[in-house]
Amino acid sequence: MNKIPEEQIVVLIVDDDMAQRLLMRETLHDSRLVVEEAANGVEALAAFERFSPDLVLMDVKMPKMDGFTACSRMRKLAGGQDAVIVLVTGLEDFASIGRAFDAGATDFITKPVNWPLLSHRVRYLLRAGRAFRNLRQSERRLSIAQNIASLGNWDWDIDKNSIYWSPQMYRIFGLPAEESTATNEVFLERVHPDERESVTDLVRKALQAKKPYSIDYRITLPDGACRNVHEQADVVHDEEGNPVSMQGTVQDITERINTEEKIRFLAYYDGLTGLPNRQLFLEHFNQALFAAQRDGSKVALLYLDLDRFKRINDTLGHSAGDKLLKSISICLADSIRSSDIVAKACFPDKHGVTLSRLGGDEFTILLTRLAGEEHAGRVAQRILDLLSQPTRIADQEVYISGSIGITLYPSDGEDVDMLLRNADVAMYHAKENGRNSFQYFSEQMNQRTMEKLSIETDLKKALERNELLLYYQPQIDLQTGKLAGVEALVRWLHPRLGMVPPSMFIPIAEEAGLIVELGQWVLIEACRQAVRWQKAGFAPLRMGVNISSLQFKHQSLAALVGQVLQQTGLAAGCLELELTESAIMQNVSQVNDTLIELKELGVNLSVDDFGTGYSSMSYLKRFPLDTLKIDRSFVMDITTDANDAAIIKAIIALGKSLGLKTIAEGVETAEQLAFLQEQRCDEIQGFFISRPLPGLEVEQYLIDGKKFC
Ligand code: C2E
Ligand code: MG
Ligand code: MG
């Protein structure tokens, strides 16, 4: 009996008069109605909570609690708002009717009850109540939906100039619904000042054109916060086509806009520096070229790569590297903003940005509407000057420089790809020219780069196809005038280009990392040759082999040399490794260990191209070296340039005092030889004696055992 089926309608009759209750029950008799009873206000409240009636028929005058009080309390119970409550007043006076409505009654009937009418009245009230409940429910649903969607609606009665705002409208505009009455003025006050005019304009045009509109604009809340909204509205007309009202919705789209901004940022900007990334740069670049093509103007691309940035990362750590990149991008942005040249020339991007970070330590600067090509160089120089100022990172003064390649549109390329590629080539040349400089691109550079690339690919095959061979250049003992040793010099017999000199391919092999494999081949081949000569009956000859600095870094050199000596059977004392001055003065503690290991094997160590790098005297003394090879550049002018003569004298004296043998390279004339002899240089090597020769031709020298000088 407690539970009432949902489709059934529950009526609660409240009266202290049992007869009256019975009469009512009889009158209302209907199979769809479930009738419950209560004898006073207190019971009525309990019954209300228990049965949740759809309709309450309640006498006003009752003991314990009267109908007015019970009614107003019922309204506060769960579901109390939705129930139809009819009070039965004994007195048909206005005061009682007024009290009934004040207490929240839906309707009232007077005693004596008109019984034949009662059931009709109840049915009518139930139907109205249901409609009312449905309306409230859909309003509630609408409000929830509007809340979820942050969507409000409004309705503007044009004639009366009155506006209705839904509760969510008030919430969006940050206004309390109770206090503020919506007016056009209140609304416009909230619209961002910059957009007021365009919003009013659009509404006016929509009214004139009698057409719907939609617009996004910003609003300012009373606390000063800025939000973005999307508004859609339409005009309602009367039969004659005159606008009578406008209705619209306003949706808060701030979150969406923020998310879109974030996505855009992630896609188009570099997270570390906040600069445009490669993607956005390419878009800017394309637009700039398009504009330049249209108005016949010039564009310059500056491609900046920091010099030896990797070293900063390696020595100070990646977070210091990141800090440096950030501070550099701020410095670049400042310099570009403050530079007259750039301000005049720069691409008028809506963010005012011409600077991008392509990744790593690479940046680009785009200059449009260039008045003259030289402007690009001025900007580049300005950037280099700014970069060269020290930066404080991780409590250290950090010095950095950059190399910049410049390409111009339209002369250096027609499209983004080509201009970028050529700027990269020019940047590379700036690096080769000693860094901290800029270079305009030229077609010649491109050819050199292409050549280099093809050499690199061919070189990889050269090793497999046995296209490499060794030549040997004699070294003469100036005291005996006889052959003391040879230097093995690699040659490449290119199938198409013929004999390629090492100056062409050794640097490429170093860059491409091929030098390790190449150097190993040279070492083995040179040792084999030395053994072959000994086996042929010639007196043991010292074999000089050039070692690249990369072999030092990438290989356990001593282990390799030990292994090669063992495999070929050459005595360690017959091998002399030529190490360049710059290679051994880098990373000295590691180098020292390797030199000691090599020395323990028994091989000779010489410093090649001595005088061209920076040698520290203390290291020269400390390292276990045997020979100094005086660079050809000093020998060349000894007979004409007093400075060079003085340098050679000093080097020979230094060698003597350190107990090192001296070999002068590149001796081409009898005068040079005489000078070196006079200075008591130990050995010489050069075209005057012989060019580097194939192994077979060296044998002639060995057979002859001839004196050269
Ligand atoms: P380097 O070790 O200083 O070799 C001496 C260079 O001077 C050789 O050039 C030699 O041909 C040249 N030369 C000798 N006497 C004269 C002269 O009187 N006048 C002139 N003008 N030049 C002379 P090359 O053979 O072209 O080698 C150039 C450089 O390539 C070498 O300089 C060396 O640094 C490098 N190299 C050659 N072979 C190898 C190798 O097997 N491994 C490594 N890592 N580097 C090598
Ligand atoms: Mg050498
Ligand atoms: Mg040399």
Side-chain angles (χ1 to χ4, degrees), residues 487 546 578 608 629:
E487 176 180 5
N546 292 288
E578 295 191 7
D608 203 355
K629 290 194 76 178

Side-chain angles (χ1 to χ4, degrees), residues 311-581:
R311 234 175 34 178
I312 307 256
N313 268 343
D314 290 349
T315 52
L316 299 180
H318 280 263
S319 82
D322 282 356
K323 279 193 192 126
L324 183 63
L325 285 173
K326 267 195 222 171
S327 97
I328 285 174
S329 39
I330 292 169
C331 151
L332 287 174
D334 284 350
S335 81
I336 284 171
R337 232 171 278 134
S338 62
S339 160
D340 292 351
I341 305 161
V342 183
K344 261 189 236 137
C346 79
F347 176 53
D349 165 59
K350 59 174 179 285
H351 303 282
V353 178
T354 56
L355 171 71
S356 315
R357 179 178 175 223
L358 293 202
D361 58 349
E362 292 170 7
F363 296 84
T364 49
I365 295 109
L366 209 56
L367 308 175
T368 56
R369 292 202 229 104
L370 263 201
E373 295 180 356
E374 68 285 358
H375 281 337
R378 271 185 222 143
V379 174
Q381 190 53 55
R382 195 192 152 87
I383 288 171
L384 293 176
D385 291 347
L386 267 160
L387 272 181
S388 65
Q389 284 159 20
T391 321
R392 260 201 105 67
I393 301 283
D395 269 345
Q396 291 206 36
E397 294 263 280
V398 179
Y399 289 84
I400 190 101
S401 62
S403 301
I404 299 177
I406 304 174
T407 33
L408 301 164
Y409 172 84
S411 51
D412 297 335
E414 286 174 358
D415 57 26
V416 163
D417 269 358
M418 186 169 271
L419 288 162
L420 252 179
R421 213 171 37 233
N422 289 345
D424 188 40
V425 168
M427 184 275 292
Y428 197 76
H429 279 261
K431 281 211 191 285
E432 277 192 333
N433 284 355
R435 302 187 165 90
N436 193 21
S437 63
F438 67 86
Q439 280 279 322
Y440 282 94
F441 172 76
S442 74
E443 199 40 52
Q444 266 171 321
M445 276 181 191
N446 209 12
Q447 270 166 13
R448 284 216 312 271
T449 310
M450 298 307 284
E451 260 167 36
K452 261 187 171 174
L453 269 177
S454 84
I455 286 182
E456 188 181 316
T457 0
D458 289 355
L459 192 58
K460 282 185 192 142
K461 295 181 207 142
L463 282 159
E464 296 156 20
R465 294 181 188 167
N466 284 326
E467 287 167 15
L468 297 179
L469 49 131
L470 287 185
Y471 273 31
Y472 304 91
Q473 190 173 33
Q475 295 167 332
I476 307 301
D477 184 326
L478 283 180
Q479 284 213 314
T480 62
K482 287 194 177 168
L483 193 65
V486 291
E487 176 180 5
L489 293 159
V490 70
R491 296 290 177 265
W492 178 12
L493 194 60
H494 191 282
R496 189 164 40 83
L497 302 172
M499 198 67 92
V500 184
S503 55
M504 276 279 283
F505 66 88
I506 294 285
I508 297 175
E510 285 182 331
E511 262 168 48
L514 290 166
I515 192 71
V516 175
E517 202 182 331
L518 188 149
Q520 189 168 331
W521 178 86
V522 170
L523 181 68
I524 296 170
E525 185 51 32
C527 291
R528 274 197 194 135
Q529 179 62 74
V531 170
R532 247 179 262 138
W533 282 327
Q534 285 179 27
K535 285 195 175 150
F538 302 116
L541 195 63
R542 194 185 59 222
M543 176 62 77
V545 173
N546 292 288
I547 301 291
S548 152
S549 64
L550 272 154
Q551 286 173 273
F552 243 77
K553 284 185 205 151
H554 289 265
Q555 262 177 340
S556 145
L557 191 61
L560 175 77
V561 171
Q563 205 183 335
V564 171
L565 288 173
Q566 202 188 14
Q567 273 173 10
T568 56
L570 184 70
C574 289
L575 182 64
E576 180 157 280
L577 301 181
E578 295 191 7
L579 313 159
T580 62
E581 194 178 16

Side-chain angles (χ1 to χ4, degrees), residues 43-62:
E43 272 182 31
L45 288 177
F48 189 93
E49 287 196 289
R50 193 163 155 204
F51 303 115
S52 309
D54 299 274
L55 184 132
V56 181
L57 259 177
M58 180 151 60
D59 191 16
V60 168
K61 265 204 202 152
M62 287 183 298

Side-chain angles (χ1 to χ4, degrees), residues 122-186:
V122 163
R123 252 172 269 281
Y124 171 77
L125 282 168
L126 277 171
R127 204 161 52 204
R130 202 177 307 128
F132 189 63
R133 237 185 352 260
N134 287 346
L135 179 68
R136 295 215 352 182
Q137 195 173 33
S138 60
E139 264 183 359
R140 220 174 293 140
R141 282 184 188 139
L142 180 67
S143 168
I144 291 168
Q146 290 205 348
N147 212 347
I148 292 170
S150 293
L151 180 102
N153 67 301
W154 54 265
D155 190 338
W156 174 31
D157 186 321
I158 297 169
D159 270 351
K160 292 189 195 132
N161 193 21
S162 68
I163 301 181
Y164 160 79
W165 274 16
S166 75
Q168 190 57 27
M169 274 291 284
Y170 284 97
R171 244 168 272 152
I172 291 172
F173 282 78
L175 295 166
E178 313 86 55
E179 292 165 27
S180 33
T181 26
T183 63
N184 269 331
E185 289 68 37
V186 169

Side-chain angles (χ1 to χ4, degrees), residues 610-612 630-638 644 647-648:
F610 187 75
T612 55
I630 307 168
D631 193 64
R632 188 166 66 85
S633 56
F634 301 108
V635 176
M636 219 150 55
D637 299 322
I638 35 174
D644 282 350
I647 291 172
I648 296 246

Side-chain angles (χ1 to χ4, degrees), residues 24 57-60 85-92 97 100 107-115 117-118 121-122 125:
M24 282 193 184
L57 259 177
M58 180 151 60
D59 191 16
V60 168
I85 304 178
V86 182
L87 290 184
V88 188
T89 56
L91 329 139
E92 200 174 338
I97 295 165
D107 202 358
F108 68 95
I109 48 179
T110 47
K111 280 184 181 172
V113 175
N114 184 339
W115 296 110
L117 265 182
L118 180 66
R121 184 88 177 258
V122 163
L125 282 168

